[in-house]
Amino acid sequence: MVMSMSEELIDPGLPVVVTSPALQELNEQVVAILENMSDAFFALDRQWRLVYMNRVAEQIFGGRRENFLGKNLWEIFPEAVDSVFYREYHRALAEDTTVEFEAFGPGLQKWLGVRAYPSREGLSVFFRDVTGRRMTDMMRRYMEALIAASNDAIIGKTLDGRVICWNKGAEKLYGFTAEEMLGESVSIILPPDRKHEMEEIIQRICRGEYIERYETLRTRKDGTLVDVSLAASPITDEGGSLIGVAVIAHDITERKRIEQERREKEQRKDDFIGMASHELKTPITSVKAMTQLLQLRLAKEGNAEAVRCLERMDKQIDRLNRLVTDLLDVTKIQEGRLELIREIFNFDEWLKNLIEDLQQTTTHKINCSGKVGRGIVADRDRIGQVVTNLITNAIKYSPQADTIDVRVMADQNGVIVSVQDYGIGISPASQEMIFKRFFRAVRDGAVPGLGMGLFIAAEIVKLHGGNIRVESAEGKGSIFSFSIPSPTLDVAP
Ligand code: ADP
């Protein structure tokens, strides 16, 4: 422990009470020094009573000296009895020897660096609060233990890329030992096409950025590449100046492998869906054609019952056809092949016809209000697909209600259509998911569907540059609305 100059001036066996005038003056000088020194000081008599303490000691004890002087040290700090302090002070007096130690003051909750001198009168004790340094030391030891124990590679490098720290994790990940790497340029582990990354990372750190999850490749000692995720942060000196960079590298080979496997699986599934729906399309088309042919023949023969059967069959074929068309659309979207065929059309008339057709298929009353009053430019069939999906959903998911309200609004930016039902509604968690592929909020099979309609609708609206959204309350119903931007066309064609 480094002591201040003052300790050399003080006789360890300091007689605190002196009587002759010369000694009185000396005593005053000594007290002045004790009061002004940066270390704490107190003196004890042989009965462990405090006979003097300076200002710094007051600060560390956390109280005014009037409250302590004359009192027994072990009564002031009963928790220190049997502590290092207790044992060392007793040893100093018993063996008439100076003692020096650092210990945690139980009553003070501080680390103290202590030097105590015995004398005939008692014990003179110098001490200082070393909590800050102890904590820093402790932190450093913790950090060293953590770095050594980490499975991740932890690397410290100077601003010009020289390695100053290379832990066991780095040895395991890259195959180079600390001995091989310390002092070397970290660029050894950078693949030739990524040499620029070191400079980039250092520049970003210099700009005060922290780097998290920088996914890249590094080269091992054996020349193989390893996928890593890097986090980098600055190392500064006491003055806050940047002196290096600390990098933690996590091996993400396994994660990448799982991701790749998942992607391949998804791809195989998508390919299969694409192929299967494509294969289904042709037989469905020919079955439909033959059904219609048979219908005509049997109608001519006057077999009404068989005709009714075939009509029902035809409807089921249409359903099958819609499912397969949806599957094909989903595949097109996945492959980025869904294209729009834009044309100008009279929106109001077109919507009226569409709703009339849908009205034939349901007992719900579909009300329509609002007008566009002009032509719009959009893919008519695809927008028809969106509106049909929203209205058929509104019907499907409101079995207890009997009304659907369709509202149309237009401004100079385009058209907004909303479809409101008074049905089962959608929970907030499901609202976030319903535009995703194959998502269904109700999966009990009570309502048929495959969770493709809204995914396709959202994609069609997106391709038009518009937005689709839902507002819903469970048990009250839902409002789906979408917008289609379109230039103003004054004359409705
Ligand atoms: P599908 O109806 O074939 O399942 P959609 O993609 O059209 O597929 O809809 C996805 C899911 O969103 C539905 O399964 C349903 O849970 C929910 N949903 C859609 N529209 C409504 C609605 N109007 N009311 C309640 N739930 C709805």
Side-chain angles (χ1 to χ4, degrees):
M1 187 173 77
V2 181
M3 284 295 188
S4 61
M5 278 287 288
S6 52
E7 73 188 281
E8 266 82 57
L9 299 171
I10 301 159
D11 175 0
L14 174 77
V16 178
V17 181
V18 279
T19 45
S20 89
L23 283 178
Q24 179 70 42
E25 194 181 319
L26 177 62
N27 189 42
E28 275 164 20
Q29 278 173 17
V30 170
V31 168
I33 292 167
L34 288 174
E35 280 306 298
N36 291 311
M37 66 191 225
S38 60
D39 285 342
F41 172 78
F42 64 80
L44 299 169
D45 66 14
R46 286 202 158 249
Q47 278 73 49
W48 304 106
R49 284 183 303 234
L50 270 166
V51 290
Y52 174 76
M53 64 193 284
N54 73 355
R55 248 180 318 131
V56 186
E58 277 186 319
Q59 280 159 18
I60 295 182
F61 279 22
R64 298 190 56 79
R65 61 189 97 184
E66 300 87 274
N67 301 328
F68 297 113
L69 291 179
K71 289 197 179 138
N72 182 305
L73 185 69
W74 311 120
E75 279 165 15
I76 301 172
F77 297 113
E79 51 282 73
V81 172
D82 276 344
S83 69
V84 182
F85 294 87
Y86 188 86
R87 286 194 299 275
E88 286 298 295
Y89 293 169
H90 277 78
R91 188 167 72 84
L93 285 189
E95 296 176 15
D96 193 24
T97 182
T98 301
V99 293
E100 191 174 346
F101 59 93
E102 275 186 16
F104 188 72
L108 298 169
Q109 300 302 311
K110 287 182 177 104
W111 279 90
L112 301 178
V114 183
R115 211 189 262 188
Y117 302 93
S119 67
R120 250 181 309 114
E121 285 74 21
L123 200 62
S124 304
V125 181
F126 294 87
F127 62 107
R128 61 171 57 171
D129 183 350
V130 293
T131 311
R133 184 178 51 68
R134 288 293 296 214
M135 293 313 271
T136 318
D137 283 358
M138 213 151 68
M139 278 303 285
R140 209 191 55 238
R141 280 198 288 277
Y142 274 126
M143 293 305 289
E144 280 167 4
L146 280 175
I147 290 172
S150 167
N151 250 336
D152 287 340
I154 300 179
I155 299 167
K157 59 186 182 189
T158 56
L159 291 181
D160 62 355
R162 305 262 145 215
V163 174
I164 48 170
C165 164
W166 188 266
N167 75 339
K168 284 263 173 279
E171 290 189 348
K172 256 194 275 171
L173 182 61
Y174 297 123
F176 290 101
T177 62
E179 266 158 43
E180 287 170 314
M181 286 307 289
L182 289 176
E184 294 299 322
S185 168
V186 79
S187 66
I188 298 173
I189 57 163
L190 268 70
D193 59 337
R194 290 176 191 251
K195 295 280 183 207
H196 58 278
E197 282 182 2
M198 188 178 87
E199 194 51 39
E200 258 170 47
I201 291 178
I202 290 177
Q203 273 175 11
R204 282 175 63 184
I205 293 285
C206 286
R207 286 200 299 270
E209 283 177 44
Y210 277 77
I211 296 167
E212 290 171 59
R213 293 232 211 133
Y214 184 96
E215 296 197 358
T216 183
L217 284 169
R218 291 291 177 256
T219 315
R220 293 197 185 94
K221 190 178 178 184
D222 64 8
T224 54
L225 291 174
V226 56
D227 282 296
V228 289
S229 170
L230 305 181
S233 45
I235 308 173
T236 50
D237 64 12
E238 291 94 7
S241 306
L242 185 66
I243 51 167
V245 179
V247 177
I248 302 182
H250 181 64
D251 185 350
I252 52 168
T253 315
E254 184 58 10
R255 203 193 75 202
K256 285 267 175 188
R257 190 187 58 75
I258 292 168
E259 275 172 13
Q260 180 64 17
E261 250 179 42
R262 208 179 43 224
R263 267 198 302 275
E264 282 170 10
K265 213 164 115 191
E266 285 281 307
Q267 189 58 51
R268 280 199 301 276
K269 195 175 77 189
D270 288 351
D271 290 351
F272 176 77
I273 293 174
M275 258 162 21
S277 34
H278 193 77
E279 288 301 314
L280 285 167
K281 195 81 186 162
T282 323
I284 291 172
T285 315
S286 57
V287 170
K288 176 148 180 94
M290 283 187 275
T291 313
Q292 283 168 346
L293 198 74
L294 261 181
Q295 249 175 305
L296 282 175
R297 284 226 184 131
L298 290 169
K300 257 190 209 155
E301 286 171 17
N303 190 341
E305 205 186 323
V307 170
R308 266 199 306 281
C309 251
L310 284 171
E311 274 168 7
R312 282 209 291 276
M313 207 164 130
D314 195 43
K315 280 213 178 86
Q316 293 305 317
I317 294 170
D318 284 345
R319 250 187 90 189
L320 197 59
N321 202 20
R322 274 197 302 278
L323 278 178
V324 172
T325 314
D326 277 359
L327 276 171
L328 278 171
D329 281 348
V330 168
T331 310
K332 280 189 199 153
I333 293 170
Q334 289 300 109
E335 294 172 359
R337 287 193 295 110
L338 191 77
E339 279 171 10
L340 300 181
I341 305 166
R342 286 190 166 89
E343 56 187 316
I344 304 169
F345 62 97
N346 183 326
F347 190 86
D348 297 326
E349 204 175 297
W350 166 82
L351 186 66
K352 189 168 148 263
N353 291 336
L354 185 81
I355 289 178
E356 270 171 19
D357 287 349
L358 286 169
Q359 186 63 79
Q360 305 300 313
T361 64
T362 179
T363 51
H364 282 67
K365 172 82 184 76
I366 309 173
N367 303 313
C368 184
S369 62
K371 253 184 188 319
V372 174
R374 60 182 163 87
I376 74 152
V377 182
D379 185 326
R380 188 193 336 218
D381 291 344
R382 291 291 183 191
I383 295 296
Q385 211 176 330
V386 176
V387 176
T388 305
N389 178 254
L390 296 186
I391 294 179
T392 45
N393 274 352
I395 296 165
K396 262 198 315 191
Y397 298 106
S398 66
Q400 314 290 350
D402 54 10
T403 324
I404 308 293
D405 288 316
V406 180
R407 297 182 187 88
V408 180
M409 279 189 305
D411 58 19
Q412 68 275 26
N413 299 320
V415 182
I416 297 172
V417 180
S418 70
V419 177
Q420 180 167 18
D421 66 64
Y422 305 91
I424 60 172
I426 305 163
S427 72
S430 294
Q431 285 175 38
E432 310 230 319
M433 303 293 293
I434 48 171
F435 297 105
K436 298 209 184 315
R437 189 168 66 134
F438 305 137
F439 178 84
R440 304 204 71 213
V442 196
R443 287 179 171 270
D444 60 4
V447 187
L450 289 175
M452 293 187 284
L454 286 180
F455 172 70
I456 299 169
E459 189 63 23
I460 292 171
V461 171
K462 201 167 95 193
L463 284 174
H464 278 89
N467 268 312
I468 188 162
R469 54 197 286 268
V470 61
E471 286 165 62
S472 186
E474 280 177 286
K476 297 217 165 106
S478 313
I479 307 175
F480 280 85
S481 22
F482 70 91
S483 63
I484 296 290
S486 169
T488 308
L489 298 165
D490 289 337
V491 186

